[in-house]
Amino acid sequence: DTGVSQDPRHKITKRGQNVTFRCDPISEHNRLYWYRQTLGQGPEFLTYFQNEAQLEKSRLLSDRFSAERPKGSFSTLEIQRTEQGDSAMYLCASSLGSRSNEQFFGPGTRLTVL
Amino acid sequence: QQQVKQSPQSLIVQKGGISIINCAYENTAFDYFPWYQQFPGKGPALLIAIRPDVSEKKEGRFTISFNKSAKQFSLHIMDSQPGDSATYFCAASMREYSSASKIIFGSGTRLSIRP
């Protein structure tokens, strides 16, 4: 399968715990995006990388959120001190720089904070 | 501020009928308008997309109609099938090569096709 993959697919955690999600983009894609989707809503942009550089962050990305893409390949999204309001589907997408509008999404990680 | 407004919120269509979903945008800097299809528990999948220099794009049973002056665009699904039952999102983004290539999504339309 050469699509975008995400791990884990589901995560249940208690409030206050830290969680980390991983995204593996399509291999030749140099841009990687993180979005958050709550129930009944469209995805909302969180942040994006071009290679290893994080170029834009949404105001939705509070100080408790951090994302990395250390070698310009896979990316991690960490949420510290989780809150119930963090419960959502976290989606990763990737695109080829020369055609950056065409973003391909992974299956998402469903986070539930108890 | 909702930059992409989508309607209706839900839609029921008989098998073989035409499904129509409408969207309106505000920011004239948008120059790429994709539609995504999402099944429960899955990520959104790119269905079809259009740029504002054309008024219509057709791929199989799916057609986008685009009205630049009205800042509106719509998705038409011809001969709708039960397998088309999903949530559809219209979206918009800005020019390639810029730092603003994030996608702005509408709120979604839950489409159900009755057999």
Side-chain angles (χ1 to χ4, degrees):
Chain A
D1 187 348
T2 57
V4 178
S5 62
Q6 293 187 245
D7 184 70
R9 295 293 309 279
H10 300 90
K11 179 70 176 178
I12 299 174
T13 191
K14 294 182 179 180
R15 187 176 54 185
Q17 298 295 304
N18 299 344
V19 294
T20 300
F21 310 140
R22 177 180 169 126
C23 170
D24 287 89
I26 295 171
S27 59
E28 65 268 25
H29 286 185
N30 63 341
R31 290 193 174 186
L32 186 148
Y33 308 79
W34 286 99
Y35 291 81
R36 182 173 69 186
Q37 184 178 24
T38 54
L39 202 61
Q41 298 298 316
E44 295 176 291
F45 171 80
L46 292 178
T47 188
Y48 100 98
F49 293 83
Q50 178 158 309
N51 301 313
E52 65 275 10
Q54 188 173 17
L55 296 185
E56 188 173 352
K57 293 194 290 186
S58 163
R59 59 180 172 77
L60 295 175
L61 213 65
S62 75
D63 292 345
R64 296 184 297 105
F65 289 71
S66 63
E68 294 183 343
R69 193 181 183 198
K71 296 182 180 179
S73 56
F74 73 92
S75 175
T76 58
L77 177 67
E78 180 182 18
I79 309 174
Q80 296 182 327
R81 305 181 303 280
T82 52
E83 301 173 356
Q84 288 186 325
D86 297 331
S87 295
M89 175 80 87
Y90 290 84
L91 293 162
C92 175
S94 69
S95 69
L96 191 59
S98 62
R99 304 186 68 179
S100 63
N101 291 128
E102 294 184 355
Q103 296 182 21
F104 298 88
F105 283 79
T109 294
R110 166 80 60 193
L111 173 66
T112 302
V113 182
L114 302 176
Chain B
Q1 181 184 5
Q2 189 177 2
Q3 295 194 57
V4 181
K5 295 182 179 180
Q6 183 172 348
S7 63
Q9 190 173 20
S10 62
L11 181 62
I12 299 174
V13 175
Q14 290 293 129
K15 180 182 174 181
I18 302 173
S19 302
I20 301 175
I21 304 170
N22 300 300
C23 280
Y25 64 98
E26 299 170 1
N27 191 337
T28 55
F30 290 143
D31 70 341
Y32 177 75
F33 301 89
W35 285 87
Y36 281 83
Q37 179 189 56
Q38 186 175 31
F39 293 104
K42 305 290 185 181
L46 180 62
L47 192 61
I48 185 173
I50 197 169
R51 296 194 182 278
D53 53 343
V54 297
S55 60
E56 186 176 281
K57 183 174 182 180
K58 182 177 181 179
E59 290 183 0
R61 296 185 294 112
F62 301 91
T63 300
I64 300 178
S65 296
F66 188 86
N67 186 329
K68 187 175 181 178
S69 61
K71 293 189 288 185
Q72 295 176 345
F73 58 110
S74 60
L75 176 70
H76 291 62
I77 306 175
M78 312 299 288
D79 187 27
S80 299
Q81 299 297 311
D84 297 331
S85 297
T87 299
Y88 292 81
F89 293 97
C90 62
S93 70
M94 299 182 194
R95 292 175 180 81
E96 294 177 352
Y97 310 115
S98 76
S99 63
S101 57
K102 61 188 175 186
I103 294 177
I104 309 298
F105 284 85
S107 55
T109 295
R110 181 173 289 184
L111 174 65
S112 296
I113 306 301
R114 286 186 172 165

